[in-house]
Each structure stands twice: as structure tokens, then as C-alpha cells.
Amino acid sequence: MPELPEVETVRRGLLPAMEGRVIERAEVRRPGLRFPFPERMAERLAGARVTGLRRRSKYILADLSTGETLLIHLGMSGRVLVSGAMLGEFHHPHPAPERHDHVVLDMEGGARITFNDARRFGAMDLVATESAEEHRLLHEIGPEPLGNGFDETHLIARLAGRNTPVKAALMDQRLVAGLGNIYVCEVLHRAGIDPRRKAGRIAARRAAALVPIIREVLAEAIEAGGSSLRDHRRTDGELGYFQHAFRVYDREGTPCPTPGCTGTIARIVQAGRSTFFCPRCQR
């Protein structure tokens, strides 16, 4: 499932085509995805101007001039592609419709936004902008890891006393928004922390050191356009490249890249998810 860097990459790719522009035409080609679409979604979108395009955790929020906000979640295989717009020096013509193109927005200026989702685990909803943060999918989400609300004091307090493995704790969206399996594995390796260690047994100084490492890993991933392992594509259809910088994720059996470490990357399963780490230098 796309994590924060992939969603942020998509948001940034949508900005020039959507923000400040009117949705001239909306086409909804099925009744819903993971959840039913809201009533009259196409009618409510057509004619609205996108006044802002923001991200909350793994969700994209398009604020509209009508006082509503379009909430978009990519799910496991969702892609949002832009065609017909001038992106840098390149012009992307509108492709022929595909089987899994479920929502199409024709924007002022000639861009077309296509939401494609083969597995249909994505979601779209329309909510009142003033109460968007209280949406059932958003209201329990913790602070943004790149924002001021996420700091050493917050993380130390939220890890204290927890009996779950630190990896599971960092993936808890109530603790911090947007982190998932890939980036937690990478963060814990850089921090030298064993993913199996109980969160409540992480010393305060080590918990505090996680904050800048989390920000560093996410910033590098965003700069690389996210990680493309299976389904993620940028809005221009290109792959992300952070997977080429993985230190541990999906690198089972390879030498640990930590200078001076002679360990080998191992894979275990935690809560049904693959965890990659170095048993020698992560403690």
C-alpha cells in the first residue's frame, strides 16, 4: 500500500493540473470502490474550483470552492494519472480509456485526471471542508511526521509503557501519520534498533533520535518520487526510485550496508508483514 512519500509525490504531481482550476467535467464509471461513492458525486464535482490540494497521512484532500473536500485514498493499487497538461517540457496526450479507470476529471486548461484502481481498494468521498479532519477515516490519525506536531516529546511519551514491538508501534497511525512497512524498516535500521524490541523499553534518548531519522528517510523518499515495488506510479506514469536506495527492505540475504558491520539482512514476519533488519547491528 502506498505510504506517505508515494502519496505526497502524487499530490505534488497533481498541483499544477488541479490547484486553482475548475473541474469542467466529472465522470464516475462505477458506484464505488472500497466504499460506495457519495450521492451525485459527478454533479457535485463539476463546476467546482480546486482551491487547495493537501495531504493528511496517506490521503489526498482537494478543497473545493463549493465548501466540500474531495478525499482520495489510493488503497493498494490506485493510481492517479495526469494527461493532456503541460508537465515541464512534456505534453501527455489523453490515453484510451482503460478497464479500471473509475473516475475521470477534465480540468480547466486541458488536463485530465484519471483515477485507476485495478483491485478497487481505493476510496473517494466528499465531505464538508470545515469538518474534513473529523471524517471517520481521518479523525484518529496522529501528527504528521514532517510537521511541528511530531517531536521528541510526543514520540517518547507515546512509546512509553507500550508492550508491542517498536515496529508495530511506529506503524500505528494514531501515533504518527503515514508511516508503513517499508519506511519503518528503513528508519529502524538507520537508528540501529531491533524491530522486535518492545516499544516501552526503548530508552528516551534513542526514541528522541528516531524523530530526525524518520524525517530524513521520508524527505529522501519524497525527493526520489517514492518507492515503486508493484503498483505505485507518479502522476506522469513514471516510476519512483527510492527502492534503489533501500538499505534493508526486500534485501534478505545481502550484506548489511552499515559501515563496519559484518551482518546479513534477515527477514521475519511480524503481524503478517515482512520485516527486514540486520540482527547484528540492530539492537
Side-chain angles (χ1 to χ4, degrees), residues 55-61 71-73 137-138 141:
R55 179 192 51 76
R56 181 73 173 102
S57 184
K58 303 174 186 179
Y59 298 85
I60 295 173
L61 301 173
L71 179 149
I72 303 171
H73 187 245
L137 296 175
L138 304 179
I141 293 178

Side-chain angles (χ1 to χ4, degrees), residues 148-188:
N148 294 332
F150 181 68
D151 57 18
E152 298 172 359
T153 301
H154 169 82
L155 187 56
I156 291 171
R158 293 303 302 271
L159 292 181
R162 296 188 66 150
N163 198 40
T164 57
V166 63
K167 185 198 173 195
L170 291 176
M171 289 178 62
D172 183 348
Q173 298 300 293
R174 296 168 297 181
L175 188 151
V176 58
L179 290 181
N181 197 37
I182 292 174
Y183 298 107
V184 172
C185 287
E186 293 296 308
V187 163
L188 291 175

Side-chain angles (χ1 to χ4, degrees), residues 117-227:
D117 186 1
R119 300 188 189 182
R120 301 200 296 273
F121 288 148
M124 281 190 177
D125 201 359
L126 278 169
V127 297
T129 301
E130 62 182 6
S131 59
E133 295 288 337
E134 299 304 314
H135 189 277
R136 60 189 174 84
L137 296 175
L138 304 179
H139 76 281
E140 291 188 348
I141 293 178
E144 291 290 324
L146 300 177
N148 294 332
F150 181 68
D151 57 18
E152 298 172 359
T153 301
H154 169 82
L155 187 56
I156 291 171
R158 293 303 302 271
L159 292 181
R162 296 188 66 150
N163 198 40
T164 57
V166 63
K167 185 198 173 195
L170 291 176
M171 289 178 62
D172 183 348
Q173 298 300 293
R174 296 168 297 181
L175 188 151
V176 58
L179 290 181
N181 197 37
I182 292 174
Y183 298 107
V184 172
C185 287
E186 293 296 308
V187 163
L188 291 175
H189 181 259
R190 293 193 190 192
I193 296 175
D194 191 314
R196 300 167 295 186
R197 181 175 286 275
K198 300 299 184 184
R201 297 181 65 85
I202 304 293
R205 62 176 179 79
R206 299 189 81 192
L210 280 168
V211 173
I213 295 173
I214 288 170
R215 290 176 172 159
E216 175 185 78
V217 169
L218 293 178
E220 290 178 12
I222 292 170
E223 181 66 24
S227 302

Side-chain angles (χ1 to χ4, degrees), residues 1-148:
M1 181 176 293
E3 301 180 28
L4 186 154
E6 289 74 52
V7 178
E8 178 63 16
T9 296
V10 171
R11 186 195 73 85
R12 294 184 182 188
L14 290 173
L15 277 172
M18 291 190 74
E19 193 166 69
R21 298 182 182 273
V22 171
I23 302 171
E24 294 184 336
R25 176 178 172 273
E27 182 180 359
V28 178
R29 296 178 173 173
R30 60 177 300 107
L33 295 170
R34 181 159 44 115
F35 311 114
F37 289 136
E39 294 183 3
R40 302 173 37 254
M41 187 170 86
E43 296 175 43
R44 291 159 67 182
L45 290 173
R49 184 177 298 277
V50 179
T51 59
L53 200 64
R54 53 198 171 100
R55 179 192 51 76
R56 181 73 173 102
S57 184
K58 303 174 186 179
Y59 298 85
I60 295 173
L61 301 173
D63 296 327
L64 307 175
S65 58
T66 56
E68 292 190 301
T69 292
L70 175 64
L71 179 149
I72 303 171
H73 187 245
L74 299 177
M76 296 181 67
S77 61
R79 302 175 184 175
V80 183
L81 302 175
V82 178
S83 61
M86 297 302 295
L87 302 176
E89 298 179 356
F90 300 96
H91 181 77
H92 296 263
H94 298 321
E98 296 186 7
R99 175 184 176 188
H100 299 296
D101 290 350
H102 304 309
V103 178
V104 178
L105 306 178
D106 287 322
M107 304 298 300
E108 174 187 19
R112 173 172 292 169
I113 314 298
T114 301
F115 186 88
N116 177 287
D117 186 1
R119 300 188 189 182
R120 301 200 296 273
F121 288 148
M124 281 190 177
D125 201 359
L126 278 169
V127 297
T129 301
E130 62 182 6
S131 59
E133 295 288 337
E134 299 304 314
H135 189 277
R136 60 189 174 84
L137 296 175
L138 304 179
H139 76 281
E140 291 188 348
I141 293 178
E144 291 290 324
L146 300 177
N148 294 332

